[in-house]
PDB file of all heavy atoms in Angstrom:
ATOM      1  N   ASN A 233      87.011 207.856 140.749  1.00 31.00           N
ATOM      2  CA  ASN A 233      87.975 207.488 139.828  1.00 31.00           C
ATOM      3  C   ASN A 233      88.614 206.111 140.003  1.00 31.00           C
ATOM      4  O   ASN A 233      89.496 205.659 139.360  1.00 31.00           O
ATOM      5  CB  ASN A 233      89.042 208.447 139.825  1.00 31.00           C
ATOM      6  CG  ASN A 233      88.734 209.767 139.333  1.00 31.00           C
ATOM      7  OD1 ASN A 233      88.057 209.995 138.290  1.00 31.00           O
ATOM      8  ND2 ASN A 233      88.777 210.823 140.227  1.00 31.00           N
ATOM      9  N   ALA A 234      88.024 205.336 141.006  1.00 30.00           N
ATOM     10  CA  ALA A 234      88.623 203.981 141.327  1.00 30.00           C
ATOM     11  C   ALA A 234      88.082 203.058 140.285  1.00 30.00           C
ATOM     12  O   ALA A 234      87.015 203.103 139.689  1.00 30.00           O
ATOM     13  CB  ALA A 234      88.072 203.545 142.610  1.00 30.00           C
ATOM     14  N   PHE A 235      88.906 202.136 139.934  1.00 30.00           N
ATOM     15  CA  PHE A 235      88.519 201.158 139.057  1.00 30.00           C
ATOM     16  C   PHE A 235      89.353 199.821 139.425  1.00 30.00           C
ATOM     17  O   PHE A 235      90.327 199.899 139.978  1.00 30.00           O
ATOM     18  CB  PHE A 235      88.689 201.412 137.564  1.00 30.00           C
ATOM     19  CG  PHE A 235      90.097 201.865 137.211  1.00 30.00           C
ATOM     20  CD1 PHE A 235      91.056 200.849 136.809  1.00 30.00           C
ATOM     21  CD2 PHE A 235      90.578 203.174 137.238  1.00 30.00           C
ATOM     22  CE1 PHE A 235      92.352 201.333 136.420  1.00 30.00           C
ATOM     23  CE2 PHE A 235      91.709 203.525 136.977  1.00 30.00           C
ATOM     24  CZ  PHE A 235      92.699 202.615 136.484  1.00 30.00           C
ATOM     25  N   TYR A 236      88.691 198.662 138.914  1.00 33.00           N
ATOM     26  CA  TYR A 236      89.227 197.357 139.254  1.00 33.00           C
ATOM     27  C   TYR A 236      89.631 196.738 137.961  1.00 33.00           C
ATOM     28  O   TYR A 236      88.979 196.657 137.036  1.00 33.00           O
ATOM     29  CB  TYR A 236      88.132 196.535 139.933  1.00 33.00           C
ATOM     30  CG  TYR A 236      88.689 195.096 140.304  1.00 33.00           C
ATOM     31  CD1 TYR A 236      89.300 195.044 141.486  1.00 33.00           C
ATOM     32  CD2 TYR A 236      88.235 194.029 139.504  1.00 33.00           C
ATOM     33  CE1 TYR A 236      89.709 193.638 141.784  1.00 33.00           C
ATOM     34  CE2 TYR A 236      88.644 192.659 139.951  1.00 33.00           C
ATOM     35  CZ  TYR A 236      89.377 192.516 141.039  1.00 33.00           C
ATOM     36  OH  TYR A 236      89.811 191.328 141.368  1.00 33.00           O
ATOM     37  N   VAL A 237      90.895 196.420 137.906  1.00 34.00           N
ATOM     38  CA  VAL A 237      91.497 195.789 136.667  1.00 34.00           C
ATOM     39  C   VAL A 237      91.730 194.336 136.876  1.00 34.00           C
ATOM     40  O   VAL A 237      92.269 193.906 137.835  1.00 34.00           O
ATOM     41  CB  VAL A 237      92.809 196.421 136.374  1.00 34.00           C
ATOM     42  CG1 VAL A 237      93.543 195.833 135.214  1.00 34.00           C
ATOM     43  CG2 VAL A 237      92.733 197.976 136.142  1.00 34.00           C
ATOM     44  N   TRP A 238      91.027 193.608 136.043  1.00 31.00           N
ATOM     45  CA  TRP A 238      91.200 192.127 136.140  1.00 31.00           C
ATOM     46  C   TRP A 238      91.796 191.709 134.876  1.00 31.00           C
ATOM     47  O   TRP A 238      91.148 191.507 133.786  1.00 31.00           O
ATOM     48  CB  TRP A 238      89.752 191.461 136.347  1.00 31.00           C
ATOM     49  CG  TRP A 238      89.937 190.057 136.661  1.00 31.00           C
ATOM     50  CD1 TRP A 238      90.952 189.197 136.509  1.00 31.00           C
ATOM     51  CD2 TRP A 238      88.782 189.317 137.184  1.00 31.00           C
ATOM     52  NE1 TRP A 238      90.558 187.852 136.909  1.00 31.00           N
ATOM     53  CE2 TRP A 238      89.320 187.920 137.369  1.00 31.00           C
ATOM     54  CE3 TRP A 238      87.502 189.674 137.667  1.00 31.00           C
ATOM     55  CZ2 TRP A 238      88.486 186.960 137.834  1.00 31.00           C
ATOM     56  CZ3 TRP A 238      86.765 188.622 138.164  1.00 31.00           C
ATOM     57  CH2 TRP A 238      87.270 187.245 138.303  1.00 31.00           C
ATOM     58  N   SER A 239      93.028 191.555 134.833  1.00 31.00           N
ATOM     59  CA  SER A 239      93.798 191.214 133.601  1.00 31.00           C
ATOM     60  C   SER A 239      94.232 189.686 133.718  1.00 31.00           C
ATOM     61  O   SER A 239      95.021 189.287 134.347  1.00 31.00           O
ATOM     62  CB  SER A 239      94.990 192.104 133.495  1.00 31.00           C
ATOM     63  OG  SER A 239      95.850 191.716 132.357  1.00 31.00           O
ATOM     64  N   VAL A 240      93.512 188.955 132.832  1.00 29.00           N
ATOM     65  CA  VAL A 240      93.801 187.539 132.793  1.00 29.00           C
ATOM     66  C   VAL A 240      94.770 187.255 131.708  1.00 29.00           C
ATOM     67  O   VAL A 240      94.412 187.297 130.554  1.00 29.00           O
ATOM     68  CB  VAL A 240      92.568 186.624 132.766  1.00 29.00           C
ATOM     69  CG1 VAL A 240      92.960 185.240 132.778  1.00 29.00           C
ATOM     70  CG2 VAL A 240      91.591 187.077 133.765  1.00 29.00           C
ATOM     71  N   LEU A 241      96.020 186.949 131.968  1.00 29.00           N
ATOM     72  CA  LEU A 241      97.082 186.795 131.035  1.00 29.00           C
ATOM     73  C   LEU A 241      97.274 185.348 130.694  1.00 29.00           C
ATOM     74  O   LEU A 241      98.142 184.603 131.379  1.00 29.00           O
ATOM     75  CB  LEU A 241      98.320 187.425 131.404  1.00 29.00           C
ATOM     76  CG  LEU A 241      98.209 188.919 131.859  1.00 29.00           C
ATOM     77  CD1 LEU A 241      99.548 189.376 132.367  1.00 29.00           C
ATOM     78  CD2 LEU A 241      97.516 189.735 130.875  1.00 29.00           C
ATOM     79  N   LYS A 242      96.552 184.734 129.810  1.00 30.00           N
ATOM     80  CA  LYS A 242      96.517 183.271 129.563  1.00 30.00           C
ATOM     81  C   LYS A 242      97.841 182.874 128.893  1.00 30.00           C
ATOM     82  O   LYS A 242      97.996 183.042 127.735  1.00 30.00           O
ATOM     83  CB  LYS A 242      95.371 182.871 128.707  1.00 30.00           C
ATOM     84  CG  LYS A 242      93.960 183.090 129.465  1.00 30.00           C
ATOM     85  CD  LYS A 242      93.775 182.066 130.534  1.00 30.00           C
ATOM     86  CE  LYS A 242      92.337 182.172 131.101  1.00 30.00           C
ATOM     87  NZ  LYS A 242      92.158 181.229 132.169  1.00 30.00           N
ATOM     88  N   LEU A 243      98.665 182.249 129.596  1.00 29.00           N
ATOM     89  CA  LEU A 243      99.911 181.643 129.019  1.00 29.00           C
ATOM     90  C   LEU A 243      99.708 180.123 129.087  1.00 29.00           C
ATOM     91  O   LEU A 243     100.436 179.366 128.330  1.00 29.00           O
ATOM     92  CB  LEU A 243     101.103 181.949 129.841  1.00 29.00           C
ATOM     93  CG  LEU A 243     101.596 183.445 129.923  1.00 29.00           C
ATOM     94  CD1 LEU A 243     102.738 183.610 130.614  1.00 29.00           C
ATOM     95  CD2 LEU A 243     101.803 183.972 128.503  1.00 29.00           C
ATOM     96  N   VAL A 244      98.571 179.528 129.674  1.00 29.00           N
ATOM     97  CA  VAL A 244      98.432 178.229 129.645  1.00 29.00           C
ATOM     98  C   VAL A 244      97.789 177.718 128.348  1.00 29.00           C
ATOM     99  O   VAL A 244      96.859 178.299 127.925  1.00 29.00           O
ATOM    100  CB  VAL A 244      97.526 177.821 130.893  1.00 29.00           C
ATOM    101  CG1 VAL A 244      97.171 176.362 130.840  1.00 29.00           C
ATOM    102  CG2 VAL A 244      98.263 178.102 132.099  1.00 29.00           C
ATOM    103  N   ARG A 245      98.246 176.698 127.802  1.00 31.00           N
ATOM    104  CA  ARG A 245      97.694 176.134 126.640  1.00 31.00           C
ATOM    105  C   ARG A 245      97.592 174.721 126.823  1.00 31.00           C
ATOM    106  O   ARG A 245      97.914 173.876 126.118  1.00 31.00           O
ATOM    107  CB  ARG A 245      98.595 176.462 125.319  1.00 31.00           C
ATOM    108  CG  ARG A 245      98.329 177.905 124.867  1.00 31.00           C
ATOM    109  CD  ARG A 245      96.848 178.181 124.414  1.00 31.00           C
ATOM    110  NE  ARG A 245      96.780 179.572 124.047  1.00 31.00           N
ATOM    111  CZ  ARG A 245      96.255 180.518 124.813  1.00 31.00           C
ATOM    112  NH1 ARG A 245      96.176 180.201 126.116  1.00 31.00           N
ATOM    113  NH2 ARG A 245      96.097 181.692 124.369  1.00 31.00           N
ATOM    114  N   ARG A 246      97.073 174.336 127.957  1.00 33.00           N
ATOM    115  CA  ARG A 246      96.773 172.903 128.364  1.00 33.00           C
ATOM    116  C   ARG A 246      98.030 172.148 128.151  1.00 33.00           C
ATOM    117  O   ARG A 246      99.069 172.371 128.675  1.00 33.00           O
ATOM    118  CB  ARG A 246      95.520 172.432 127.724  1.00 33.00           C
ATOM    119  CG  ARG A 246      94.413 173.311 128.096  1.00 33.00           C
ATOM    120  CD  ARG A 246      92.980 172.663 127.787  1.00 33.00           C
ATOM    121  NE  ARG A 246      91.964 173.694 128.345  1.00 33.00           N
ATOM    122  CZ  ARG A 246      90.621 173.393 128.268  1.00 33.00           C
ATOM    123  NH1 ARG A 246      90.277 172.138 127.668  1.00 33.00           N
ATOM    124  NH2 ARG A 246      89.778 174.216 128.708  1.00 33.00           N
ATOM    125  N   LYS A 247      97.885 171.044 127.443  1.00 33.00           N
ATOM    126  CA  LYS A 247      99.001 170.068 127.354  1.00 33.00           C
ATOM    127  C   LYS A 247     100.175 170.665 126.439  1.00 33.00           C
ATOM    128  O   LYS A 247     101.249 170.010 126.422  1.00 33.00           O
ATOM    129  CB  LYS A 247      98.520 168.679 126.880  1.00 33.00           C
ATOM    130  CG  LYS A 247      97.447 167.972 127.752  1.00 33.00           C
ATOM    131  CD  LYS A 247      97.215 166.679 127.267  1.00 33.00           C
ATOM    132  CE  LYS A 247      96.184 165.998 128.181  1.00 33.00           C
ATOM    133  NZ  LYS A 247      96.733 165.697 129.457  1.00 33.00           N
ATOM    134  N   HIS A 248      99.960 171.732 125.806  1.00 34.00           N
ATOM    135  CA  HIS A 248     100.968 172.386 125.044  1.00 34.00           C
ATOM    136  C   HIS A 248     101.659 173.374 125.961  1.00 34.00           C
ATOM    137  O   HIS A 248     102.435 174.270 125.314  1.00 34.00           O
ATOM    138  CB  HIS A 248     100.444 172.902 123.736  1.00 34.00           C
ATOM    139  CG  HIS A 248      99.807 171.939 122.879  1.00 34.00           C
ATOM    140  ND1 HIS A 248     100.535 170.806 122.320  1.00 34.00           N
ATOM    141  CD2 HIS A 248      98.514 171.672 122.562  1.00 34.00           C
ATOM    142  CE1 HIS A 248      99.681 170.126 121.572  1.00 34.00           C
ATOM    143  NE2 HIS A 248      98.436 170.601 121.790  1.00 34.00           N
ATOM    144  N   TYR A 249     101.393 173.561 127.166  1.00 35.00           N
ATOM    145  CA  TYR A 249     101.883 174.616 127.988  1.00 35.00           C
ATOM    146  C   TYR A 249     103.402 174.620 128.145  1.00 35.00           C
ATOM    147  O   TYR A 249     104.091 173.569 128.320  1.00 35.00           O
ATOM    148  CB  TYR A 249     101.314 174.428 129.365  1.00 35.00           C
ATOM    149  CG  TYR A 249     101.673 175.405 130.316  1.00 35.00           C
ATOM    150  CD1 TYR A 249     101.147 176.655 130.499  1.00 35.00           C
ATOM    151  CD2 TYR A 249     102.783 175.104 131.347  1.00 35.00           C
ATOM    152  CE1 TYR A 249     101.427 177.611 131.411  1.00 35.00           C
ATOM    153  CE2 TYR A 249     103.026 176.063 132.250  1.00 35.00           C
ATOM    154  CZ  TYR A 249     102.356 177.268 132.380  1.00 35.00           C
ATOM    155  OH  TYR A 249     102.728 178.121 133.322  1.00 35.00           O
ATOM    156  N   LYS A 250     103.934 175.761 127.904  1.00 37.00           N
ATOM    157  CA  LYS A 250     105.437 175.989 128.150  1.00 37.00           C
ATOM    158  C   LYS A 250     105.520 176.772 129.416  1.00 37.00           C
ATOM    159  O   LYS A 250     104.960 177.811 129.555  1.00 37.00           O
ATOM    160  CB  LYS A 250     106.072 176.685 126.932  1.00 37.00           C
ATOM    161  CG  LYS A 250     106.068 175.817 125.700  1.00 37.00           C
ATOM    162  CD  LYS A 250     106.785 176.508 124.626  1.00 37.00           C
ATOM    163  CE  LYS A 250     106.920 175.614 123.288  1.00 37.00           C
ATOM    164  NZ  LYS A 250     107.640 176.238 122.204  1.00 37.00           N
ATOM    165  N   ARG A 251     106.367 176.322 130.304  1.00 37.00           N
ATOM    166  CA  ARG A 251     106.345 176.815 131.667  1.00 37.00           C
ATOM    167  C   ARG A 251     106.825 178.334 131.700  1.00 37.00           C
ATOM    168  O   ARG A 251     107.745 178.725 131.255  1.00 37.00           O
ATOM    169  CB  ARG A 251     107.244 176.100 132.629  1.00 37.00           C
ATOM    170  CG  ARG A 251     107.169 176.456 134.067  1.00 37.00           C
ATOM    171  CD  ARG A 251     107.811 175.511 134.946  1.00 37.00           C
ATOM    172  NE  ARG A 251     107.557 175.905 136.371  1.00 37.00           N
ATOM    173  CZ  ARG A 251     107.875 175.196 137.390  1.00 37.00           C
ATOM    174  NH1 ARG A 251     108.248 173.870 137.159  1.00 37.00           N
ATOM    175  NH2 ARG A 251     107.573 175.685 138.604  1.00 37.00           N
ATOM    176  N   ASP A 252     105.983 179.092 132.273  1.00 39.00           N
ATOM    177  CA  ASP A 252     106.210 180.508 132.691  1.00 39.00           C
ATOM    178  C   ASP A 252     105.592 180.719 133.912  1.00 39.00           C
ATOM    179  O   ASP A 252     104.394 180.323 134.195  1.00 39.00           O
ATOM    180  CB  ASP A 252     105.743 181.475 131.727  1.00 39.00           C
ATOM    181  CG  ASP A 252     106.170 182.826 131.883  1.00 39.00           C
ATOM    182  OD1 ASP A 252     105.936 183.337 133.120  1.00 39.00           O
ATOM    183  OD2 ASP A 252     106.811 183.413 131.098  1.00 39.00           O
ATOM    184  N   PRO A 253     106.239 181.228 135.085  1.00 36.00           N
ATOM    185  CA  PRO A 253     105.658 181.305 136.421  1.00 36.00           C
ATOM    186  C   PRO A 253     104.421 182.092 136.630  1.00 36.00           C
ATOM    187  O   PRO A 253     103.778 181.903 137.532  1.00 36.00           O
ATOM    188  CB  PRO A 253     106.832 181.851 137.108  1.00 36.00           C
ATOM    189  CG  PRO A 253     107.906 182.542 136.222  1.00 36.00           C
ATOM    190  CD  PRO A 253     107.622 181.680 134.984  1.00 36.00           C
ATOM    191  N   VAL A 254     104.177 183.005 135.659  1.00 37.00           N
ATOM    192  CA  VAL A 254     103.037 183.837 135.848  1.00 37.00           C
ATOM    193  C   VAL A 254     102.113 183.718 134.646  1.00 37.00           C
ATOM    194  O   VAL A 254     102.486 183.912 133.475  1.00 37.00           O
ATOM    195  CB  VAL A 254     103.506 185.330 136.005  1.00 37.00           C
ATOM    196  CG1 VAL A 254     102.307 186.310 136.226  1.00 37.00           C
ATOM    197  CG2 VAL A 254     104.504 185.520 137.221  1.00 37.00           C
ATOM    198  N   ASP A 255     100.802 183.504 134.824  1.00 35.00           N
ATOM    199  CA  ASP A 255      99.961 183.458 133.784  1.00 35.00           C
ATOM    200  C   ASP A 255      98.595 184.208 133.964  1.00 35.00           C
ATOM    201  O   ASP A 255      97.939 184.849 133.252  1.00 35.00           O
ATOM    202  CB  ASP A 255      99.488 182.090 133.332  1.00 35.00           C
ATOM    203  CG  ASP A 255      98.689 181.302 134.471  1.00 35.00           C
ATOM    204  OD1 ASP A 255      99.438 180.708 135.363  1.00 35.00           O
ATOM    205  OD2 ASP A 255      97.457 181.430 134.428  1.00 35.00           O
ATOM    206  N   ASN A 256      98.408 184.566 135.339  1.00 35.00           N
ATOM    207  CA  ASN A 256      97.215 185.422 135.697  1.00 35.00           C
ATOM    208  C   ASN A 256      97.743 186.486 136.589  1.00 35.00           C
ATOM    209  O   ASN A 256      98.638 186.257 137.292  1.00 35.00           O
ATOM    210  CB  ASN A 256      96.159 184.625 136.503  1.00 35.00           C
ATOM    211  CG  ASN A 256      95.466 183.506 135.602  1.00 35.00           C
ATOM    212  OD1 ASN A 256      95.666 183.720 134.351  1.00 35.00           O
ATOM    213  ND2 ASN A 256      94.638 182.752 136.164  1.00 35.00           N
ATOM    214  N   LEU A 257      97.166 187.629 136.305  1.00 37.00           N
ATOM    215  CA  LEU A 257      97.479 188.819 137.216  1.00 37.00           C
ATOM    216  C   LEU A 257      96.228 189.656 137.512  1.00 37.00           C
ATOM    217  O   LEU A 257      95.509 189.919 136.664  1.00 37.00           O
ATOM    218  CB  LEU A 257      98.530 189.652 136.458  1.00 37.00           C
ATOM    219  CG  LEU A 257      99.039 191.024 137.045  1.00 37.00           C
ATOM    220  CD1 LEU A 257      99.645 190.567 138.392  1.00 37.00           C
ATOM    221  CD2 LEU A 257      99.835 191.719 136.157  1.00 37.00           C
TER     222      LEU A 257
END
Side-chain angles (χ1 to χ4, degrees):
N233 293 303
F235 56 89
Y236 182 77
V237 177
W238 189 343
S239 171
V240 183
L241 311 179
K242 293 286 188 179
L243 296 182
V244 174
R245 283 298 177 268
R246 300 200 178 178
K247 295 185 183 295
H248 302 291
Y249 178 80
K250 294 184 178 180
R251 184 166 187 168
D252 190 300
V254 182
D255 64 276
N256 287 347
L257 176 64

